[in-house]
Amino acid sequence: MGLPNGVTRYMIKVPETSCIKWRGQKFYGRPVWMLWLQRAVWEEANGPLGRHETVNQTCSTIGCLTLDHLRKGGRPPRVPASQCLRCGGLL
C-alpha cells in the first residue's frame, strides 16, 4: 500500500517526546486521518495487517506516527452491559 506522495511533509518531529506528529488537518483537536495513517505507517514497515487487526499507539502524544510507538493489536472484546446507563440498576 505505502504512504501517498507528499504525506511526509505533514509530519514533524517533536523534540521533547521523540514522536513524529501529524501537523495536517485536524478535527476536534485530533488528526482527521489518524487511524488510516497509523495503519499505513505500520504496513509500510511491517507488511499488511489482517482484516480484524488494528494498530495501537503506546505513547500519549495525540497524532503520533512514530513506528516505535505503534504496535499491532486486535479489536478489544465486547463486554455485555451489566448496568443501566440511566438508572444504574443491574440488567
Side-chain angles (χ1 to χ4, degrees):
M1 178 175 126
L3 295 172
N5 291 334
V7 76
T8 54
R9 70 182 172 154
Y10 293 106
M11 297 178 182
I12 57 171
K13 184 135 177 97
V14 180
E16 307 87 45
T17 62
S18 76
C19 293
I20 297 172
K21 192 173 176 180
W22 177 252
R23 67 177 181 128
Q25 185 178 6
K26 295 193 172 30
F27 182 72
Y28 288 108
R30 299 194 69 81
V32 175
W33 301 104
M34 190 78 284
L35 296 177
W36 178 84
L37 279 169
Q38 287 177 337
R39 188 177 181 100
V41 167
W42 177 268
E43 288 183 347
E44 180 76 14
N46 300 306
L49 290 168
R51 182 176 176 192
H52 295 291
E53 291 179 318
T54 60
V55 176
N56 300 327
Q57 185 177 323
T58 59
C59 69
S60 60
T61 303
I62 294 175
C64 180
L65 294 170
T66 308
L67 185 60
D68 294 339
H69 299 178
L70 302 175
R71 65 179 169 83
K72 183 168 74 168
R75 293 182 180 164
R78 295 199 71 185
V79 179
S82 59
Q83 276 188 314
C84 175
L85 295 175
R86 268 195 172 163
C87 67
L90 296 176
L91 298 176

